[in-house]
Each structure stands twice: as structure tokens, then as C-alpha cells.
Amino acid sequence: MQRGDDLEDDFVLDDLVALSDEDDLPNTEDISGLLSADEDGGDDAQSSQPQSAAALEKKRKRRAKEKERKAKKRKLAETVEPVEPPSIAAQPPVLLADYISSMQAKTFNELSGIELADVQIPESSIADTTVWAGSRNLDQLVDFISKVLPKLHTRMSQRPKNNGAPTLLYVAGAALRVADITRVLKDKRLRGEKGGDVAKLFAKHFKLEEHVAYLKRTKIAAAAGTPGRLGKLLCDTDALATTALTHIILDVSFRDAKKRTLLDIPETRGEVFRTVLGAPKVLNGLRQGTIQLVLF
């Protein structure tokens, strides 16, 4: 039996066999590479989970911080009062006269320039309230009247002579606003002990006939109302007299939910100029200087 050592001394491997044998042998570098890849793959598989968890946790914290930041910003926006634009009412009479004229031109757009001049309110009848540096809201109304309109303050504290003849008409755009104004005008600091009643005049919940009956039997110091109801009482009845009227206040600083003032709304603007300030007995008083127009 022959063994591997029994090969003949002059035996040479066939070239094809030799090459084939070399191809079959794996390269040691490739083996180490494969082994290295397998080992690294195992490490990656083990480390991928904690890395993914850490990334998710980081993302979660970032979202939580962003949510907290937005919540703080929203809370700050709710607590900080919005800055209101300066009221047109704070302007001097010469500028207020221009403003009133521009509002009248919008109302009476069917009139010619000459016709419009016949209904314009003279600058001399517009009260100068520039000395008032405070805000123009209802919290300040009592002080405003006391300090800026002393004549009105005095007359409101006196007993009226006739029924339905106020010294003040306060014109506001909505019933709820009128109710708030009425409460302020009833303040004892304005009416004292002798001052007349304060009429609350708007169409909501009240028929025109009810207001007519109330005015005919009541001595009033002031009347707060919407331009629609005030206009009807002035133009269509004799219940609201102007014999004692010295001041008309337009509530132009107040803005509704849509940020509109009394004269921004076409309907109320039209009623103000056509039926309140445009009522013949009121317009005559304004043009003659017996009635002052006040913008608050």
C-alpha cells in the first residue's frame, strides 16, 4: 500500500491541479474580513436598539419643550392687554371738524358740495377735550365729565324743570353698550342728590310707545341710547325735548368685536347724521352754539 511519502522523487503536480487547489484555498485576509464583518454585525445589532431608543427619547423631549414654549407664549399673549390705537376723539376741534365732515360726506353721498355745507357741523360747536390725558373708556367717564365738561357736570346735578328734557344725549352703537353707559351716568358723583333720572333708550326689549310714555312722565338729566331709537324719538315724536339740551356725546372710542367704532358702521353712521345730529331742532342748536358736540 502506498502512502503520501511514497511519491516518486521526480513527481510534479499537474498545472491545472495546482491552480485548482490554489483557487479552492480561501484567502486569509478575506477570512479575517468575513470574521470581522460578522463580529461587527453582531455589535451593530446589539447597539442599534439603544441608539434608536435614545434618538426617540431626544425627539420626545424636544417636542415637549416646544409644546411648553408655545403654551407659555400663548399664555403671555392672553395676559398682555392689546394696545389700542389712539382715539380720534383726542384730536383738537379743527381736526375733529374735518373728521366729522368726512363722515357726513360718506352719509350724504347724494348731496352736492353746496347742499352738504348746509348740514355740516361748525368747528365752534365741537368741544375741545385735548386737556384730557387719560384713557377714554367708561371707567374714566365720570372724571372726564367732571374735569373737562364742568358746565355739563353742574347741570346734571340740578333738578330738571321739564319732563323728557335732558341736558345730555349720549349716543352709542349697541344696546348692551347703552346699558353700561347708563349705569355710569347714574353715578352720584355726577347727579348728586337732586339730579334727574338717566333714560336708557334702545329698541331691544322696548317698544317706541313705552319710551314715549316714560319720557312724558319723567324728569331726566341725561339720555343714553342707540342712534336708531334716539332718532325716532327726536324726529317722529315730541317726547324727547331739546329745550334743556347742552351736550351730545358720541361714543367714538369704543370698538366692537370687529374693531369698528360708532361711525365706522354705515348703518349707525347714517342714523347718527340723518336722524340724531340731523334732526332739525338738534342741528339748529349745533349751528347756533347752544349745543356742544363731544367726542369720547
Side-chain angles (χ1 to χ4, degrees):
M1 183 176 180
Q2 289 183 340
R3 294 185 299 272
D5 291 340
D6 295 336
L7 295 174
E8 295 177 2
D9 293 338
D10 59 351
F11 176 79
V12 178
L13 284 173
D14 184 89
D15 289 341
L16 290 174
V17 174
L19 289 171
S20 175
D21 290 343
E22 289 175 0
D23 289 342
D24 290 341
L25 289 173
N27 187 301
T28 56
E29 292 180 359
D30 292 342
I31 291 174
S32 64
L34 288 171
L35 288 174
S36 175
D38 290 342
E39 289 170 359
D40 290 346
D43 291 342
D44 286 346
Q46 292 174 1
S47 63
S48 62
Q49 279 189 335
Q51 285 177 1
S52 299
L56 288 172
E57 179 64 15
K58 187 176 181 181
K59 191 174 182 181
R60 186 191 67 78
K61 288 182 178 179
R62 187 167 62 248
R63 284 180 176 174
K65 285 183 179 180
E66 180 67 15
K67 187 176 181 181
E68 184 180 357
R69 185 186 68 79
K70 287 182 178 180
K72 286 182 178 179
K73 187 176 180 181
R74 186 167 56 250
K75 187 176 181 181
L76 182 63
E78 291 173 353
T79 55
V80 175
E81 293 185 3
V83 178
E84 290 289 337
S87 172
I88 185 67
Q91 300 289 337
V94 62
L95 296 181
L96 291 180
D98 290 341
Y99 170 68
I100 293 295
S101 293
S102 68
M103 293 296 105
Q104 285 184 300
K106 287 184 178 181
T107 301
F108 301 108
N109 54 10
E110 75 280 5
L111 299 184
S112 66
I114 296 176
E115 292 171 325
L116 189 60
D118 291 336
V119 297
Q120 283 184 338
I121 297 167
E123 178 189 332
S124 58
S125 293
I126 300 174
D128 186 349
T129 64
T130 53
V131 294
W132 179 256
S135 61
R136 298 192 182 226
N137 55 51
L138 292 186
D139 292 338
Q140 302 292 324
L141 181 58
V142 173
D143 287 339
F144 175 83
I145 292 176
S146 301
K147 295 175 182 178
V148 182
L149 306 170
K151 179 182 176 181
L152 174 61
H153 183 208
T154 300
R155 289 179 63 85
M156 285 188 67
S157 64
Q158 296 172 345
R159 186 179 301 279
K161 294 180 180 179
N162 301 308
N163 293 351
T167 188
L168 168 67
L169 289 183
Y170 198 120
V171 189
L176 185 60
R177 179 69 174 173
V178 169
D180 291 338
I181 292 166
T182 303
R183 281 191 289 271
V184 176
L185 293 178
K186 286 183 176 181
D187 194 301
K188 290 292 184 182
R189 289 175 293 171
L190 289 178
R191 295 191 302 139
E193 298 298 328
K194 297 181 180 179
D197 199 5
V198 177
K200 181 171 55 179
L201 306 173
F202 51 78
K204 191 174 183 181
H205 307 311
F206 296 101
K207 294 180 180 179
L208 181 64
E209 294 77 11
E210 291 177 303
H211 280 149
V212 169
Y214 162 77
L215 291 169
K216 284 183 175 292
R217 68 172 184 267
T218 309
K219 288 180 170 58
I220 60 174
T226 56
R229 178 48 55 94
L230 288 172
K232 280 189 174 296
L233 288 166
L234 287 167
C235 296
D236 299 343
T237 78
D238 60 353
L240 186 58
T242 60
T243 52
L245 187 62
T246 58
H247 293 80
I248 298 175
I249 297 180
L250 299 184
D251 192 41
V252 296
S253 296
F254 176 76
R255 294 177 180 272
D256 64 12
K258 296 181 179 180
K259 303 300 181 185
R260 300 175 302 177
T261 69
L262 173 69
L263 300 183
D264 287 336
I265 305 169
E267 294 79 11
T268 55
R269 180 175 65 235
E271 291 169 339
V272 166
F273 288 115
R274 290 183 185 275
T275 66
V276 179
L277 301 183
K281 49 191 175 182
V282 172
L283 184 58
N284 287 338
L286 287 167
R287 295 177 73 85
Q288 293 171 7
T290 58
I291 300 173
Q292 270 201 317
L293 182 64
V294 183
L295 276 66
F296 180 76

